[in-house]
């Protein structure tokens, strides 16, 4: 009969103490990355499986966190959240957690889902995405002392709760500077209606980069709801009114619409999107890329800090995007 694999067996294999193995299983964020990796390699090599029921009784935790999956939209920007959730699931698994996915079409239904999930499962915490001004979801959870972190800033008060975000303004500013360096001056922007924290942030990066270069952005901005058809319509409007030589868009959906509108336009108009979706890569669209895997990992790090009570409010994390250059810019 094969020997039973225990924490002590893993500790001997990884050349660490039993307490270190326990820390990797229960509080991985306090273990150095090199040591944690050695223990995880030993766990995988030996096929060790922790007794989840015993662990839950000991720690008072279910090791279960919940996150929303968006309803299907245009199949383009929805993939951004899919990539984040994939990274979240992998990182949570390495930390000994499981992710429960749910869906909701609006804030009211999402809050109703919180209530239902908390009454049905022994959830440890939530990871929220898509924050906004006056977000009722975070207020509902905070009022009930339910642990959570957000992928997205609390736009009303940056110290309201733990969060991870990507600097959208830095992304569009970098895209605009790239176009300026290529000789463009009439650089337009297609974004979302004012009042969206994410949309306002991305528009501000474009505007500030033009101001820094001594370019007046007046008349070069258009706004609409997200979508390919909407991007195409506003790009036609820009071509008819201000004839830009380049355009930065708040999303890849808008940018793909802009690409459709400029077919056959001479001289060509440079187009840059945002989110670097698989569709952008497939059609050769230059796009601002978010470090979604890192964002997911940092969300899990913050969440374990919240659950372990290491900090009253863990320090928020603002990550920097990069520009995936292709032939459209």
């Amino acid at each position: 009969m094969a020997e039973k694999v225990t924490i002590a067996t893993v500790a001997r294999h990884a050349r660490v103490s039993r307490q270190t193995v326990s820390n990797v299983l229960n509080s991985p964020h306090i273990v150095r990355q090199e040591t944690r990796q050695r223990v995880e390699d030993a766990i995988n090599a030996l096929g060790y499986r922790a007794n989840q029921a015993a662990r839950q009784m000991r720690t008072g935790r279910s090791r279960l966190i919940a996150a929303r999956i968006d309803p299907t939209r245009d199949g383009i920007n929805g993939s951004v959240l899919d990539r984040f959730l994939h990274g979240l699931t992998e990182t949570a698994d390495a930390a000994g957690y499981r992710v429960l996915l749910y869906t909701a079409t609006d804030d009211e239904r999402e809050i109703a889902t919180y209530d239902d999930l908390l009454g049905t499962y022994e959830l440890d915490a939530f990871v929220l995405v898509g924050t906004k001004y006056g977000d009722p979801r975070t207020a509902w959870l905070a009022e009930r002392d339910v642990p959570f972190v957000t992928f997205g800033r609390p736009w009303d008060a940056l110290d309201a709760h733990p969060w991870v975000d990507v600097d959208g303004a830095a992304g569009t500013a970098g895209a605009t500077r790239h176009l300026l360096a290529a000789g463009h001056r009439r650089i337009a922007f297609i974004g979302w209606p004012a009042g969206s924290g994410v949309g306002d942030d991305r528009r501000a990066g474009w505007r500030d980069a033009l101001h820094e270069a001594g370019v007046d952005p007046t008349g070069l901005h258009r706004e609409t709801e997200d979508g390919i058809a909407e991007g195409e319509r506003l790009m036609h409007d820009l071509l008819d009114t201000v004839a830009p030589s380049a355009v930065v868009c708040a999303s890849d959906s808008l940018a793909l619409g802009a690409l459709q509108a400029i077919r056959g336009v001479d001289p060509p108009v440079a187009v840059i999107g945002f989110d670097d979706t698989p569709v952008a890569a497939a059609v050769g669209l230059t796009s601002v890329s978010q470090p979604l895997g890192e964002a997911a990992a940092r969300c899990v790090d913050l969440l374990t800090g919240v659950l372990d009570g290491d900090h009253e409010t863990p320090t928020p994390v603002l990550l920097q995007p990069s520009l995936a250059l292709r032939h459209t810019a």
Side-chain angles (χ1 to χ4, degrees):
M1 179 181 294
E3 179 186 357
K4 180 180 180 181
V5 179
T6 66
I7 283 182
T9 313
V10 174
R12 287 195 301 271
H13 190 91
R15 303 186 305 281
V16 298
S17 68
R18 285 182 292 180
Q19 182 59 52
T20 298
V21 176
S22 179
N23 288 341
V24 170
L25 292 171
N26 296 296
S27 303
H29 66 286
I30 70 173
V31 184
R32 288 189 306 121
Q33 172 62 33
E34 179 183 350
T35 304
R36 187 169 67 206
Q37 187 62 56
R38 197 161 72 244
V39 172
E40 290 171 355
D41 289 345
I43 288 171
N44 292 331
L46 296 170
Y48 174 72
R49 295 292 181 268
N51 187 320
Q52 190 68 19
R55 181 194 290 174
Q56 183 172 342
M57 292 178 63
R58 184 175 67 254
T59 64
R61 294 190 199 164
S62 65
R63 316 290 298 186
L64 186 65
I65 59 179
R68 190 193 79 217
I69 184 168
D70 274 346
T72 302
R73 292 185 293 165
D74 58 13
I76 299 173
N77 287 316
S79 65
V80 177
L81 182 57
D82 290 345
R83 287 155 59 198
F84 172 77
L85 290 174
H86 186 87
L88 183 72
T89 303
E90 284 190 339
T91 309
D93 181 67
Y97 287 84
R98 293 291 180 268
V99 178
L100 174 67
L101 298 179
Y102 62 90
T103 188
T105 55
D106 56 35
D107 291 341
E108 183 178 352
R109 287 180 176 84
E110 185 163 358
I111 290 171
T113 301
Y114 296 164
D115 203 23
D116 181 58
L117 291 174
L118 289 168
T120 306
Y121 301 94
E122 294 292 331
L123 289 174
D124 281 342
F126 287 83
V127 177
L128 274 60
V129 296
T131 52
K132 64 202 76 174
Y133 290 106
D135 200 319
R137 303 169 305 158
T138 57
W140 192 94
L141 292 171
E143 286 169 4
R144 290 159 179 79
D145 293 321
V146 178
F148 69 92
V149 300
T150 63
F151 178 37
R153 276 164 273 184
W155 297 98
D156 302 286
L158 294 181
D159 59 352
H161 57 72
W163 55 269
V164 177
D165 202 3
V166 176
D167 193 337
T172 52
T176 305
R177 293 189 189 107
H178 169 77
L179 293 168
L180 287 164
H184 296 280
R185 302 293 285 180
R186 292 192 314 283
I187 304 171
F189 183 82
I190 299 177
W192 304 320
S196 155
V198 176
D200 292 351
D201 192 47
R202 293 181 184 182
R203 183 175 62 253
W206 159 81
R207 181 195 62 220
D208 293 347
L210 288 185
H211 278 310
E212 289 169 6
V215 177
D216 184 0
T218 302
L220 293 171
H221 166 244
R222 298 290 186 276
E223 60 184 38
T224 182
E225 298 300 326
D226 201 39
I228 296 174
E230 289 79 1
E232 182 176 9
R233 176 176 57 82
L234 290 192
M235 190 68 226
H236 279 302
D237 178 62
L238 286 166
L239 291 171
D240 291 341
T241 54
V242 296
S245 64
V247 61
V248 176
C249 298
S251 72
D252 282 349
S253 290
L254 293 171
L256 288 165
L259 281 179
Q260 292 183 359
I262 64 170
R263 286 178 181 170
V265 172
D266 190 30
V269 177
V271 178
I272 296 182
F274 202 111
D275 286 329
D276 193 27
T277 57
V279 174
V283 302
L285 171 68
T286 290
S287 186
V288 177
S289 179
Q290 300 193 61
L292 296 172
E294 184 179 359
R298 300 301 291 272
C299 280
V300 173
D301 285 344
L302 286 186
L303 199 56
T304 54
V306 169
L307 293 171
D308 290 338
D310 291 346
H311 307 284
E312 194 67 30
T313 302
T315 303
V317 178
L318 186 62
L319 302 173
Q320 296 301 305
S322 58
L323 191 61
L325 286 170
R326 302 187 180 95
H327 67 255
T328 56

